[in-house]
Amino acid sequence: MTAADERPTYPPELRTLLDGRWRHIRDLAREQLRGERFAPVADLSTEEHRERVLGQLKTIAATEMSSYGFSADYGGQDDVGGSVVAFEMLVCDLSLMVKVGVQWGLFGGAIQALGTQRHHAAYLHRLMSLDLPGCFAMTETGHGSDVQGLRTTAEYDPGTEEFVVTTPDEAARKDYIGNAARDGRMAVVFARLITQGTDHGVHALLVPIRTADDSPAPGVRIGDCGRKAGLNGVDNGRLWFDGVRVPREALLNRYGDVAPDGTYSSPIESDNRRFFTMLGTLVRGRISVAGGAGSATKAALAIAVKYAQVRRQFDRPDTGEEVALLDYRAHQRRLLPALARTYALHFAQEELVGTLHERHSGEPAGDERGQRELEARAAGLKALATWHATDTIQTCREACGGAGYLEENRLPQLKADTDVFTTFEGDNTVLLQLVARGLITNYRQEFGELDPLGMARFAAGQFLGAVIERTAARSLIERLVSAAPGRGDESDLYDRGWQLELLEDREKHVLDGLARRLRRAGSSGSEAFDAFNDAQDHVLAAGRAHMERVVLEAFVAAIDRCTDQETRRLLDRVCDLFVLSAVEEDRAWFLEHERLTATRAKTVTQQVNRLCAELRPHAEALVDTFGFPDEWLAAPIALGAEAERRREQRAAAQG
Amino acid sequence: MTAADERPTYPPELRTLLDGRWRHIRDLAREQLRGERFAPVADLSTEEHRERVLGQLKTIAATEMSSYGFSADYGGQDDVGGSVVAFEMLVCDLSLMVKVGVQWGLFGGAIQALGTQRHHAAYLHRLMSLDLPGCFAMTETGHGSDVQGLRTTAEYDPGTEEFVVTTPDEAARKDYIGNAARDGRMAVVFARLITQGTDHGVHALLVPIRTADDSPAPGVRIGDCGRKAGLNGVDNGRLWFDGVRVPREALLNRYGDVAPDGTYSSPIESDNRRFFTMLGTLVRGRISVAGGAGSATKAALAIAVKYAQVRRQFDRPDTGEEVALLDYRAHQRRLLPALARTYALHFAQEELVGTLHERHSGEPAGDERGQRELEARAAGLKALATWHATDTIQTCREACGGAGYLEENRLPQLKADTDVFTTFEGDNTVLLQLVARGLITNYRQEFGELDPLGMARFAAGQFLGAVIERTAARSLIERLVSAAPGRGDESDLYDRGWQLELLEDREKHVLDGLARRLRRAGSSGSEAFDAFNDAQDHVLAAGRAHMERVVLEAFVAAIDRCTDQETRRLLDRVCDLFVLSAVEEDRAWFLEHERLTATRAKTVTQQVNRLCAELRPHAEALVDTFGFPDEWLAAPIALGAEAERRREQRAAAQG
C-alpha cells in the first residue's frame, strides 16, 4: 500500500466550488507549472535563485498567463480576475509569484491603469513578452506607508520639453524595488510633479534605468538590497536619480498631464483626490497579495495535516499503539480552526476578485463610493489574510517539529517568503485603520490620508451610527438574520442567523463606540491626534470586526452556491468551526459587552473542541481539495516518507 | 549630534540587577566576543557558515568559557550556572550559541553527568579544548518527543566484552544531531541496553563516529540534514549504526553498568525511574535554551525599539511634524508589553539558574522532589520563553517594516535561528503537559512518561487540591498576598498582593478543575486517554497558569533586591505592565470565572494603554540595559542609519 492509496477521497463538488469562476486558469497552472523547471529547490545562493526565477518568468511569458490583465487591443485578455487567480497559483516558489507580480501586476498594471494609449501601444506587448522587464518604483527609504510623503521630484523643463527626475537626499532613494537590482530596464517612478513652480503632488513617469548592455542609465544609480529573510529569487534594489531627463510623454498621463509649455491639467481638480484615485486603480496588488498569502497558507496546512495524519508519537495506554498526531486534541486545535479560517478567507477572496473583475473590466464604473468600498475591503482582506498566513505557517512549522525546520520540507521557505506579506502593499496596521476610516465616514469622506482630525470632525458631525451593508448573498443573509432566535442562553450556537447577527452586532457596537470616542476628542488637531492615538487599539478592532463579518458572509454565500448535500454538510461544519473559533478567540469582548454569558462562553470552547473531533476525519480531504500537485508541496514528510518509515518500523518490530 | 549622543541614560543599578550573580561572565563575554571574528555575517553558504562557526568555537575553546560546566578535578570550574549564562551571551550568532551548547552542554554535559571517573579522566580535557568534538545522539527520526520509544540497540557480547550498536531500521536512525554532519568525532549514543537477553531501557554509550582522517568510523553511516530554516552554522546530521562494536567501558555507567560477564547492575532498580533520573541530570539543556531564547528576544527588541525611536511616518495634524513610530499607541502595544514580559522572564531565568547551580554543584542533592520540581520548572520556562521569543521576534520584524526584512538588520536571522527553539530540547506542547503532570501529582508520582491513566488514577485517589508553593522570596510574597485587598471592583489594580493573589487563584482553580475532569474519567486506559485528550487544552492552560505565577514571583523578588529607589519605581511599572497585559490577554478566563467584572476587565485594558504611554520614554533605556554591544546588534537601522537619513531629510527640506 502506498501513501497515495491511503488518501481519502473528497466530494468532487468541493473542488469545483473552491476553484470557482476561474477554475480553467487554476487547471492550466496545475498543468503548465510542472517539471524540473518549476520544482522548488532549496539552498540556492542569491544569484542562483534570481537566475532560476528569471528563467521561470521567461517560460511563463511565453504562455497566456502573462496577458490576462491587459487590454485585448494590445494582445491582452481583459481578464483582471484571471490575472489575480493566475498569480495566486504560483505556489511552487513564492519568489516567482512576487516576480510575476512585479512585472505584470505592478509595472505592467501601472502602465495599463495610469498610462494612455501611447504608453499602451509602445509598451504592453513588450512587457508581456518580457522584452521589457520593469520596476514599480514607489516606496522610498524614508516613506513607505505614507506614500503622499514621497520626496523624489520630477520637474518639468519647458525649454527641452522634458521632466528632470531627482532624488533630493538619501531618505528619498527608492527602496525595496523588485526587479531593480538585476533585471529591470525601465521603472514606473512615483515623484512629485513640479511645473511652473507648482508642486502638483505625486505622479508616475516612465524612466529607463538600464541600457541595453545592462549598465545603469545615465544619472541613475542602482543599489542592491542584498539578502532578505526570504524571496531571494526577487532582485530588490535601490534607485537614485541625479537629474535624469525623460521626455514629456514619459508621464503616465491618464489623471494628470503637462502641456508642452508646462501648463498642468487634470480631470480631477483636487491633488489629494487625484492621488488617491490613482492609487485606487492599483488596488489589484493588495488583492493579489491576499490571494498569494492564502495559497501559501494552504500549502503549509496541506503539509502539516498530511504529516500529522501519519506521524505517530507516544503509546495509547489501552492499545499500546502509537497515536497519530492529528488524534491529539491539542494538535487538532492548532491546525483545524486555522484550516476553517483558510476556507473562509478563500471564499472572501473569491468574492473580492469577482467584485474587482466586474468593476475594473473595461472602463471603471463611475460609482466612487463602490470603488472606495472595494479598496477598503481589499485593504482589510489583505491584512487578515497575511496575518493569518504568518500565524498559520508558523503553527504548521511547529506542528511538524524538527522535520518542519528542514528546508526540504518547504515550511521554512513558505514562512520566510510570506513574512513580508504583512508589510508590503501596505502595512497591515495601517490598512486596518484605512478600513475603520471608511466605515466611520461611510466611504463618503473626501479621499485623503488617515487624518485624525478629519475623522474626528466627521464622527462629530455626520456619523449617524454604524450601518451594516451586506457584501454577499444579501437576501439570503437578511433572511437568516431575521429568522435568528434572540440572544440568550437558549439559542443554538449552530444557528447561522445567530452567528451572523453576533458578528454584525459586534461590528456595530465597536464602531459606534469608536465614533463616540472620536467625537469627544475636541476639535483641535492636537486633541484629535491624541484621542485617535489613544483609541488606536479600538480603531484596529473595528477594522477586524468588520472584516470578520464580511468573511463570514462570503462563506455563507459559498455554501449557498453548493448543490451537493454531502459537500454542504461538510462545509457547514467547517463554517461553524470558523465562526465559533473566531468567537472563542474574541470571547473576552463578547463577555465584557454582555453578548455572551460566562456559561455560554465556556460552551463555545467545548463546541470548538467537539467540531475539531468531528472534522478530524475530513482534514486530509479538506487540504487535498486545494488541488496543489504533489510536486508543488514537494515536502517528503507529506508525500510518503514518514508513512514509509512507519511501515519499516512496524516490520522491524514484528520481525 | 550623533545617534550615540541621543541615547538616554539608564540607572546603573538596573544593569547590575539584570546582570545578576554571574555578571563577571556577562562582562567577560562582552569583552571577548568582539571584532571581525564574531561579527554577524549575512548570506553565507551552508559550508561557509559552518566553517566560520567552527572557527569561532575554537577561539572560545581557548578561553575559560568552555570550562565552566566541568569538574575542577579535570580542569573545569564547577560552575554550572556560569555555563548557562555564558551560553546565553552568545547572541552574535545563534549558530555559535547552539554549537557551543552541543559541544560543551550536551556532549560534554552527558559525559560529565552520566559518565564516571574513567570517562572524565579520558575525555573532559579533550572535549573542553575541542580536541574531541562530539555529538549528543539521542533523537531518532521516529522518536523525538517520546525518548523512551528510542529503538537503537546496544547489545552486550560477553565473548568480546563489547557492545554492538545497531540501527534496526530507517525510523531509528539518529536525526538532527548537531556536530554530526561535519565536525564530530565521537557521539554519546542513546540506545536500548540489552544484555543476557534482557532490555534494560535507554542508556548512553560513547561511540566513535569519525576516524582521524575524517571518514566515517567502520559501521557508521553519516548523513547531512541539509539546509534548515536557520542555524545553518550548525552541522546537523543523521547517524546509522551497522553493528558497531565499542568496548564495555564505553557505557556511561553512572546509573547502570554491565559486568564483564554481562550481568547488569544499577543503583536504581526501576528501568523507568533510572531513565528519568538520567534525563534529569541533563536538565541544564532546557534551561540554557530558555536563556538563549531570552537573549534573542532582547536583541530583537533592542533593534525594534531603537528603530521606532527614530523612525517617523505620517504628519501630526497640529504640528505638521512626522510622528515617531514609538509614539503611536499601536506600536507601543506591540513592543512594550513584550518588553515587560522579557524582563519578567529574565528574572525567572536568573532564579532558575540559581536553583540549578545550587542543586547541581558537586554531588546532586538527594531530595528527589526538589529535583523533579526543578525539571518541571525548567520545562515550563523553556516553553514560555521560546514561545515568547517566536512571537516577539516576529512582532519586531513586522514593527520594522521592510527594513526588518533585510538580513543586514538581523531580525530575519534571529527569527529563523530561534524558530526551532520551541521544538528542540523538548517540544513546548509536550513540556507544558509535563508541568501539569508535576502539579497534579504534586511531584510525588513515580518518574514516568506522560501516562494519562496514571494521572487519572492519581487525581482520583491522592490529589487533595492544588497547592501553591512559592518559588522565590517566599516571606515577602506571603506578606504581600495577605495584605492584599479582597476581590471586587474596589481594590487597586496596581496592588502587588492583589496581582499575586489573582494569578495564584487562577492557577489553583485551573488545576482543581483539571483534577476533577480527570477523576471523572473512569479507570480504563481507553477512557483515561480519551478524557485526557479531551482536556488537553485544559492541561496546557494549567501549565501556563502555573508558570506565569512563578515568573511573577521571580519579578517581585528581583524588585525586592533592588535598593535604588528610582530603579525600583521603574521596575515596578514594568512589572505592572507585565501582569496587567498578561491579565488582559487571559481576561476571558477571568470573566468566565467571575474573577473580574466586565467593567474591571475594561479598566485593565485602559491601564495597559496608560502604562504603555508611561513607559514609552524609558523604552530605549530598558533595552540598552540588556548591555549588548552595538556590534552584536549590528543592525544599521538601530545604530544610526535611520537617524542620519532623518537629519539629511530635514536639511534637504529646509535647504
Side-chain angles (χ1 to χ4, degrees):
Chain A
M1 196 168 67
T2 70
D5 297 332
E6 286 169 10
R7 291 202 196 163
T9 55
Y10 48 82
E13 195 183 327
L14 189 54
R15 166 78 80 89
T16 310
L17 192 71
L18 245 74
D19 276 0
R21 176 167 169 184
W22 284 274
R23 65 182 64 96
H24 55 289
I25 291 182
R26 296 186 197 271
D27 281 335
L28 194 75
R30 288 175 185 128
E31 275 162 37
Q32 295 197 336
L33 306 175
R34 297 224 134 179
E36 198 286 318
R37 189 158 199 73
F38 291 100
V41 180
D43 205 8
L44 295 174
S45 72
T46 302
E47 180 50 30
E48 287 164 350
H49 199 173
R50 288 175 176 182
E51 180 63 30
R52 181 171 172 83
V53 167
L54 181 65
Q56 295 170 331
L57 197 70
K58 285 178 183 161
T59 304
I60 292 180
T63 72
E64 65 171 89
M65 293 178 70
S66 61
S67 64
Y68 295 131
F70 299 101
S71 306
D73 295 348
Y74 303 97
Q77 302 200 48
D78 277 333
D79 186 353
V80 179
S83 75
V84 177
V85 170
F87 171 89
E88 132 189 355
M89 292 304 280
L90 294 162
V91 276
C92 55
D93 185 340
L94 302 192
S95 284
L96 174 60
M97 183 190 271
V98 170
K99 187 102 170 171
V100 162
V102 167
Q103 174 67 18
W104 294 306
L106 294 174
F107 172 62
I111 293 177
Q112 171 77 50
L114 304 178
T116 50
Q117 210 185 338
R118 68 175 184 237
H119 306 105
H120 300 163
Y123 300 116
L124 292 187
H125 266 114
R126 290 183 61 204
L127 70 88
M128 281 187 266
S129 70
L130 210 58
D131 176 46
L132 181 69
C135 311
F136 181 81
M138 179 184 270
T139 297
E140 295 173 1
T141 306
H143 291 88
S145 292
D146 183 4
V147 185
Q148 275 193 302
L150 295 182
R151 294 171 50 257
T152 301
T153 54
E155 190 160 3
Y156 186 67
D157 175 355
T160 59
E161 299 191 8
E162 287 172 322
F163 286 101
V164 185
V165 182
T166 305
T167 303
D169 59 82
E170 197 62 11
R173 69 182 184 194
K174 296 293 176 185
D175 209 347
Y176 316 112
I177 309 303
N179 251 350
R182 185 181 186 275
D183 300 323
R185 299 258 163 173
M186 180 172 264
V188 171
V189 176
F190 289 81
R192 320 196 70 82
L193 190 158
I194 299 167
T195 181
Q196 298 176 333
T198 305
D199 179 341
H200 293 275
V202 175
H203 287 64
L205 311 86
L206 289 168
V207 182
I209 60 165
R210 271 193 187 81
T211 59
D213 68 352
D214 272 343
S215 54
V220 177
R221 186 150 63 90
I222 304 180
D224 194 319
C225 290
R227 191 80 179 171
K228 296 159 292 172
L231 297 178
N232 283 300
V234 184
D235 53 324
N236 293 84
R238 298 178 180 127
L239 298 170
W240 293 258
F241 303 99
D242 182 15
V244 175
R245 290 183 167 262
V246 293
R248 191 180 64 92
E249 293 78 12
L251 180 67
L252 294 176
N253 60 335
R254 178 164 165 202
Y255 292 105
D257 207 354
V258 171
D261 69 350
T263 309
Y264 180 81
S265 64
S266 167
I268 305 175
E269 206 169 325
S270 143
D271 281 359
N272 213 23
R273 190 182 191 119
R274 181 187 323 113
F275 175 70
F276 283 100
T277 302
M278 286 167 63
L279 277 196
T281 62
L282 309 174
V283 65
R284 181 176 50 160
R286 282 183 187 156
I287 300 177
S288 299
V289 169
S295 290
T297 310
K298 289 169 194 167
L301 279 169
I303 292 166
V305 164
K306 285 163 166 297
Y307 182 58
Q309 180 94 3
V310 289
R311 174 73 175 177
R312 290 165 180 271
Q313 206 76 174
F314 294 109
D315 297 341
R316 261 189 87 107
D318 47 345
T319 62
E321 286 267 308
E322 289 182 287
V323 180
L325 296 191
L326 202 50
D327 284 327
Y328 288 107
R329 185 76 71 251
H331 215 80
Q332 293 166 6
R333 274 228 161 230
R334 297 172 97 174
L335 298 180
L336 301 188
L339 178 56
R341 179 171 284 258
T342 305
Y343 264 74
L345 290 167
H346 174 94
F347 292 123
Q349 172 75 8
E350 170 88 1
E351 189 82 44
L352 187 61
V353 173
T355 309
L356 169 77
H357 187 77
E358 298 312 325
R359 172 164 289 280
H360 283 220
S361 289
E363 275 305 291
D367 160 28
E368 269 194 20
R369 187 180 185 287
Q371 170 66 22
R372 264 171 277 164
E373 203 185 327
L374 170 69
E375 289 166 25
R377 234 188 323 145
L381 196 63
K382 188 270 185 185
L384 255 62
T386 57
W387 267 326
H388 178 62
T390 294
D391 289 348
T392 304
I393 298 170
Q394 179 70 41
T395 299
C396 289
R397 200 300 291 155
E398 292 179 31
C400 292
Y405 198 61
L406 303 182
E407 281 278 358
E408 63 170 28
N409 289 318
R410 284 219 72 202
L411 293 166
Q413 198 62 55
L414 288 169
K415 178 74 188 74
D417 286 344
T418 54
D419 205 73
V420 77
F421 283 29
T422 56
T423 296
F424 69 13
E425 286 286 326
D427 178 273
N428 281 3
T429 303
V430 176
L431 293 184
L432 274 189
Q433 295 179 63
L434 207 71
V435 175
R437 186 176 65 88
L439 292 170
I440 285 283
T441 60
N442 199 12
Y443 307 107
R444 281 172 304 186
Q445 196 188 10
E446 191 62 58
F447 283 99
E449 62 186 293
L450 272 180
D451 178 339
L453 185 54
M455 260 179 86
R457 286 196 180 133
F458 198 96
Q462 295 174 61
F463 183 77
L464 300 172
V467 180
I468 298 294
E469 280 189 64
R470 307 219 157 87
T471 52
R474 288 186 178 80
S475 64
L476 164 70
I477 286 165
E478 203 68 61
R479 209 164 60 239
L480 288 167
V481 171
S482 4
R487 281 183 206 160
D489 269 16
E490 297 317 308
S491 61
D492 182 359
L493 290 178
Y494 293 91
D495 185 285
R496 195 72 72 218
W498 176 81
Q499 295 169 349
L500 284 159
E501 209 260 335
L502 190 73
L503 296 203
E504 281 185 8
D505 175 53
R506 176 181 62 176
E507 175 180 342
K508 213 168 143 32
H509 190 89
V510 171
L511 213 55
D512 286 338
L514 177 61
R516 266 196 310 278
R517 275 178 86 163
L518 295 179
R519 221 174 268 160
R520 285 197 301 264
S523 55
S524 82
S526 157
E527 286 162 331
F529 177 80
D530 290 337
F532 186 83
N533 198 23
D534 259 350
Q536 218 177 5
D537 52 343
H538 200 151
V539 173
L540 298 174
R544 218 176 270 119
H546 170 71
M547 286 311 302
E548 273 196 349
R549 193 259 303 171
V550 168
V551 170
L552 174 58
E553 289 183 351
F555 205 151
V556 172
I559 297 176
D560 190 54
R561 288 198 296 276
C562 180
T563 54
D564 175 66
Q565 285 310 308
E566 194 199 339
T567 306
R568 239 185 130 100
R569 268 193 302 274
L570 179 60
L571 278 180
D572 267 324
R573 289 291 83 78
V574 176
C575 186
D576 287 331
L577 181 56
F578 162 63
V579 184
L580 293 184
S581 58
V583 171
E584 185 191 29
E585 208 180 305
D586 201 23
R587 69 196 196 284
W589 188 91
F590 292 105
L591 285 157
E592 282 172 352
H593 297 83
E594 294 175 7
R595 263 60 179 182
L596 290 180
T597 62
T599 313
R600 200 159 163 79
K602 290 183 200 166
T603 310
V604 168
T605 298
Q606 286 158 13
Q607 293 308 312
V608 170
N609 277 334
R610 201 197 100 184
L611 284 165
C612 282
E614 208 175 311
L615 283 170
R616 185 258 175 268
H618 303 281
E620 192 165 9
L622 286 168
V623 297
D624 278 338
T625 308
F626 296 141
F628 292 159
D630 283 357
E631 52 188 298
W632 292 0
L633 296 182
I637 50 165
L639 300 172
E642 181 64 18
E644 177 58 27
R645 281 192 291 263
R646 292 287 315 167
R647 275 189 293 278
E648 281 186 25
Q649 177 179 324
R650 270 200 305 274
Q654 284 161 5
Chain B
M1 196 169 63
T2 69
D5 297 333
E6 287 170 9
R7 290 203 198 163
T9 56
Y10 48 83
E13 197 184 325
L14 190 53
R15 166 78 79 91
T16 311
L17 192 71
L18 244 72
D19 276 1
R21 177 168 169 184
W22 284 275
R23 66 182 65 96
H24 54 288
I25 291 182
R26 296 187 198 272
D27 281 335
L28 194 75
R30 288 174 185 127
E31 275 162 37
Q32 295 196 337
L33 306 176
R34 296 223 137 178
E36 197 286 319
R37 188 156 200 72
F38 290 100
V41 180
D43 205 9
L44 295 174
S45 72
T46 302
E47 180 51 31
E48 288 164 349
H49 199 175
R50 288 175 177 182
E51 180 65 31
R52 180 170 173 86
V53 167
L54 182 66
Q56 294 169 331
L57 197 72
K58 285 179 181 160
T59 305
I60 291 179
T63 72
E64 65 172 89
M65 292 178 71
S66 63
S67 64
Y68 296 131
F70 300 101
S71 306
D73 296 348
Y74 302 98
Q77 303 201 49
D78 279 333
D79 186 353
V80 179
S83 74
V84 177
V85 170
F87 171 89
E88 132 189 355
M89 292 304 281
L90 295 161
V91 276
C92 55
D93 185 340
L94 302 193
S95 283
L96 174 61
M97 182 190 273
V98 170
K99 188 101 170 171
V100 161
V102 167
Q103 174 67 17
W104 295 306
L106 294 174
F107 172 62
I111 293 177
Q112 172 76 50
L114 303 178
T116 52
Q117 211 186 335
R118 68 176 182 236
H119 307 106
H120 299 165
Y123 301 116
L124 292 187
H125 267 114
R126 290 184 60 205
L127 70 88
M128 281 186 268
S129 69
L130 211 56
D131 175 46
L132 182 68
C135 313
F136 181 81
M138 180 184 269
T139 296
E140 296 173 1
T141 307
H143 291 88
S145 293
D146 183 5
V147 184
Q148 274 193 304
L150 295 182
R151 295 171 51 258
T152 301
T153 55
E155 189 159 4
Y156 186 66
D157 175 354
T160 60
E161 300 190 7
E162 288 172 322
F163 287 99
V164 186
V165 182
T166 304
T167 303
D169 59 82
E170 197 64 12
R173 69 182 186 193
K174 296 293 176 184
D175 208 347
Y176 316 112
I177 309 303
N179 251 350
R182 184 180 186 276
D183 300 325
R185 298 258 164 173
M186 181 172 266
V188 172
V189 175
F190 288 80
R192 321 196 71 82
L193 189 157
I194 300 167
T195 179
Q196 297 176 336
T198 305
D199 178 341
H200 293 275
V202 175
H203 287 65
L205 310 89
L206 289 168
V207 181
I209 59 164
R210 270 193 188 80
T211 59
D213 69 351
D214 272 344
S215 53
V220 176
R221 185 151 63 90
I222 304 179
D224 195 319
C225 290
R227 191 79 179 173
K228 297 159 291 171
L231 297 178
N232 282 301
V234 184
D235 54 324
N236 293 84
R238 298 180 179 126
L239 298 170
W240 292 258
F241 304 99
D242 182 14
V244 175
R245 291 184 164 261
V246 294
R248 191 180 64 92
E249 293 77 12
L251 180 68
L252 295 176
N253 60 336
R254 179 164 165 200
Y255 293 106
D257 207 353
V258 171
D261 70 350
T263 309
Y264 181 82
S265 65
S266 167
I268 304 174
E269 208 170 322
S270 143
D271 282 359
N272 213 24
R273 191 183 190 118
R274 181 188 323 116
F275 174 71
F276 283 100
T277 303
M278 287 167 62
L279 278 195
T281 62
L282 308 174
V283 65
R284 181 176 47 162
R286 282 182 187 156
I287 300 177
S288 300
V289 169
S295 291
T297 310
K298 288 168 194 166
L301 278 169
I303 293 165
V305 164
K306 285 164 168 297
Y307 182 57
Q309 181 95 3
V310 289
R311 173 74 176 177
R312 289 165 182 269
Q313 206 77 176
F314 293 110
D315 297 341
R316 261 190 86 108
D318 47 345
T319 62
E321 286 267 308
E322 287 182 289
V323 180
L325 295 192
L326 203 51
D327 284 326
Y328 287 107
R329 185 76 70 250
H331 215 79
Q332 294 166 6
R333 275 230 159 227
R334 298 172 96 174
L335 298 180
L336 301 187
L339 178 56
R341 180 171 283 257
T342 304
Y343 265 74
L345 290 168
H346 174 95
F347 292 123
Q349 171 76 7
E350 170 88 3
E351 189 81 43
L352 187 62
V353 173
T355 308
L356 169 78
H357 187 77
E358 298 312 326
R359 172 164 289 278
H360 282 219
S361 289
E363 276 305 291
D367 161 27
E368 271 193 17
R369 188 179 183 289
Q371 171 65 23
R372 265 169 277 165
E373 203 185 326
L374 170 68
E375 290 166 26
R377 236 193 316 149
L381 197 62
K382 187 269 184 185
L384 256 62
T386 56
W387 267 326
H388 177 62
T390 294
D391 290 348
T392 304
I393 299 170
Q394 178 70 42
T395 299
C396 290
R397 201 299 291 156
E398 290 179 31
C400 293
Y405 198 62
L406 302 182
E407 280 279 358
E408 64 170 29
N409 289 319
R410 282 218 74 202
L411 294 166
Q413 197 63 55
L414 289 169
K415 177 74 188 75
D417 286 345
T418 54
D419 205 73
V420 78
F421 283 29
T422 56
T423 296
F424 70 14
E425 286 286 325
D427 177 273
N428 282 2
T429 304
V430 176
L431 294 182
L432 274 189
Q433 295 179 64
L434 207 70
V435 174
R437 188 176 64 89
L439 294 169
I440 285 282
T441 61
N442 199 13
Y443 306 106
R444 282 171 303 187
Q445 198 190 8
E446 192 62 57
F447 283 101
E449 61 186 295
L450 272 179
D451 179 338
L453 185 55
M455 263 180 83
R457 287 199 179 130
F458 199 97
Q462 296 175 60
F463 183 78
L464 299 170
V467 180
I468 298 295
E469 279 189 64
R470 308 218 157 86
T471 52
R474 287 187 179 79
S475 63
L476 164 71
I477 285 164
E478 203 68 61
R479 210 163 59 239
L480 288 168
V481 171
S482 1
R487 282 183 207 160
D489 269 18
E490 297 316 308
S491 59
D492 182 358
L493 289 178
Y494 293 91
D495 185 284
R496 195 73 71 217
W498 176 81
Q499 295 170 350
L500 284 159
E501 209 260 334
L502 190 73
L503 296 202
E504 282 185 7
D505 175 51
R506 176 181 62 175
E507 174 180 344
K508 217 169 140 31
H509 189 89
V510 171
L511 212 54
D512 286 339
L514 177 61
R516 265 197 309 280
R517 275 178 86 163
L518 295 178
R519 223 174 267 160
R520 283 196 302 264
S523 55
S524 82
S526 155
E527 287 163 331
F529 177 80
D530 291 336
F532 185 85
N533 199 23
D534 258 351
Q536 218 176 5
D537 52 343
H538 200 152
V539 173
L540 298 173
R544 217 175 271 118
H546 171 71
M547 287 310 304
E548 272 196 349
R549 193 259 304 170
V550 168
V551 169
L552 173 57
E553 289 183 353
F555 205 151
V556 172
I559 297 175
D560 190 54
R561 289 197 296 277
C562 179
T563 54
D564 175 66
Q565 286 310 309
E566 192 199 342
T567 306
R568 240 185 129 99
R569 267 194 302 274
L570 179 59
L571 278 180
D572 266 326
R573 288 292 81 79
V574 176
C575 186
D576 287 332
L577 181 56
F578 161 63
V579 186
L580 293 184
S581 59
V583 171
E584 185 191 29
E585 208 180 305
D586 201 23
R587 70 196 195 283
W589 188 92
F590 292 105
L591 285 158
E592 281 172 352
H593 297 84
E594 294 173 6
R595 265 59 181 181
L596 290 179
T597 62
T599 313
R600 200 159 163 79
K602 289 184 201 165
T603 311
V604 169
T605 298
Q606 286 158 13
Q607 294 307 311
V608 170
N609 277 333
R610 201 197 99 186
L611 284 164
C612 282
E614 209 175 309
L615 283 170
R616 186 260 174 264
H618 304 280
E620 191 165 11
L622 286 169
V623 298
D624 278 339
T625 309
F626 296 141
F628 292 158
D630 283 358
E631 52 188 298
W632 292 0
L633 296 182
I637 50 165
L639 300 171
E642 181 64 20
E644 178 57 29
R645 281 192 291 263
R646 291 289 315 168
R647 274 188 294 277
E648 282 186 24
Q649 177 179 322
R650 269 200 306 274
Q654 284 160 5

